[in-house]
Amino acid sequence: MPKSITIESIGALPREACWVLTDGAAGNRRQALALAEALTPSIREIVVSLRPPWSWFAPRTIPGARLALGRQEENLLPPWPALAIGCGRQAAWATRQIRRWSAGACLAVQILDPRIDPSHWDLVVAPKHDGLHGDNVLNPLGSLNPIDDGWLADGRDAFAPFAALPGPRLGVLVGGARRGTPFDAAASDAFLAAVRARHAVDGGSVLVAASRRTPDSILPRIREAFAGLPGVVWTGSADGPNPYPGILGWADRLIVTPDSVNMLSEACATGRPVHTFAPVPLRGKLGRFHAELRAAGLLHDIDAITLEAQLPLRETDSIAVEVRKHLGLL
């Protein structure tokens, strides 16, 4: 029998109380690590990359599961941790298998809708706009993230020179295209013009950051749009360290492209007013997410007049409490 780790020991183990499994994508890592860090300091991170044909069907299973991992199999061998947290489709395959291989000794938590029956996991954390429900399903409004007052203070410390920029400081987070929300030249020019118009009304400085998803062809347009304005424009590593934590920490107001659930959730976690620019109706899950943020008073049109602060959207700690409660870890 493989050595197993008892549920009661989580948070007190010297190592590997919790495995965090993702496909390595930044957004998936950020959510899974945020939840794990809210539960225990004893974490091992594992990147899962399945071989075909298993990757085609994940998280559904087909025969020969051990062959799916290739040389990575040794990463998922016992002793099992008390808890495995996954985010993303390939990670969902892994957390499902670990739960089965350990005969339930390792509790499996999956973040985001796995697109199959959630009973294959001990707990599934799927945002409201996914529309997934069940006795073992938790439904936060946005995506999980590590942002709290301490995180924001660290961001301000790391980018202390931003304090000297004239206020109000307008944070601008630029994503990319998503189905139904193009971010081509026309869409980006419209967004950048709307941001410039907002800055013209408010004055102050701009703190701008592109993301990994921003098309390379759009980066010169971003630099040109904010040329001559006081502030910082970051379009890649050639511009120095990514100022994203500093932008969230120092911004008095934030404008976010409509495509990214993660960036919108993290902007809303700051407690500062958050705006977006969506010239065409948003549909499906993304449209539902925007509608839920607006109904909660957390997201506004780009030209809306708002208070200087709003209730921050911080759900990671409350979800962690529910995880402990649901899995008997309290």
Side-chain angles (χ1 to χ4, degrees):
M1 290 288 293
K3 179 183 177 183
S4 61
I5 298 174
T6 61
I7 296 173
E8 290 77 15
S9 64
I10 191 167
L13 292 174
R15 59 187 291 274
E16 297 183 13
C18 177
W19 288 0
V20 168
L21 302 109
T22 71
D23 57 3
N28 290 342
R29 290 185 64 242
R30 194 162 179 83
Q31 292 203 66
L33 285 168
L35 179 57
E37 289 165 357
L39 290 164
T40 174
S42 179
I43 296 168
R44 176 186 176 196
E45 185 177 2
I46 300 171
V47 174
V48 178
S49 180
L50 301 179
R51 302 159 72 183
W54 296 273
S55 60
W56 303 340
F57 293 92
R60 293 171 176 82
T61 57
I62 57 176
R66 287 291 185 184
L67 298 175
L69 295 164
R71 294 181 179 178
Q72 293 183 42
E73 181 183 3
E74 62 185 28
N75 292 332
L76 300 184
L77 292 176
W80 311 111
L83 179 64
I85 297 174
C87 187
R89 192 168 58 87
Q90 297 198 54
W93 179 94
T95 51
R96 178 183 178 185
Q97 294 287 12
I98 291 170
R99 183 180 187 235
R100 183 173 66 85
W101 292 334
S102 68
C106 177
L107 301 174
V109 175
Q110 185 61 31
I111 301 172
L112 301 181
D113 183 359
R115 307 290 181 88
I116 61 175
D117 189 340
S119 67
H120 291 296
W121 294 267
D122 293 287
L123 196 63
V124 172
V125 181
K128 281 181 65 177
H129 60 267
D130 273 353
L132 181 68
H133 305 286
D135 292 339
N136 67 327
V137 178
L138 299 176
N139 298 119
L141 175 55
S143 61
L144 303 185
N145 60 71
I147 296 172
D148 57 18
D149 289 345
W151 191 97
L152 293 170
D154 289 343
R156 289 192 291 273
D157 288 344
F159 293 89
F162 290 2
L165 292 171
R169 302 178 194 90
L170 179 63
V172 183
L173 306 180
V174 185
R178 179 172 172 154
R179 183 185 300 177
T181 57
F183 202 63
D184 52 16
S188 64
D189 285 350
F191 172 78
L192 295 169
V195 174
R196 284 289 303 250
R198 179 75 204 215
H199 177 267
V201 172
D202 293 346
S205 55
V206 294
L207 303 171
V208 184
S211 73
R212 297 176 182 85
R213 296 176 53 253
T214 308
D216 289 343
S217 61
I218 303 302
L219 300 181
R221 305 177 106 86
I222 296 173
R223 290 189 288 266
E224 181 181 353
F226 299 108
L229 295 184
V232 173
V233 178
W234 188 88
T235 56
S237 58
D239 297 327
N242 189 336
Y244 183 79
I247 292 174
L248 293 185
W250 284 108
D252 298 299
R253 185 179 304 279
L254 288 143
I255 299 175
V256 187
T257 53
D259 55 283
S260 173
V261 171
N262 284 355
M263 286 199 307
L264 283 164
S265 297
E266 295 189 1
C268 289
T270 66
R272 296 298 186 179
V274 179
H275 305 257
T276 194
F277 178 75
V280 299
L282 302 173
R283 304 189 184 282
K285 292 181 180 182
L286 186 62
R288 292 196 296 273
F289 175 58
H290 276 249
E292 288 159 0
L293 288 181
R294 289 177 179 273
L298 297 171
L299 184 63
H300 316 278
D301 289 338
I302 198 167
D303 57 354
I305 305 302
T306 68
L307 299 175
E308 293 182 359
Q310 61 188 34
L311 186 69
L313 179 67
R314 297 180 184 174
E315 301 176 284
T316 304
D317 284 345
S318 61
I319 290 295
V321 169
E322 290 300 317
V323 170
R324 288 183 175 274
K325 185 186 303 181
H326 190 96
L327 302 182
L329 302 176
L330 286 176

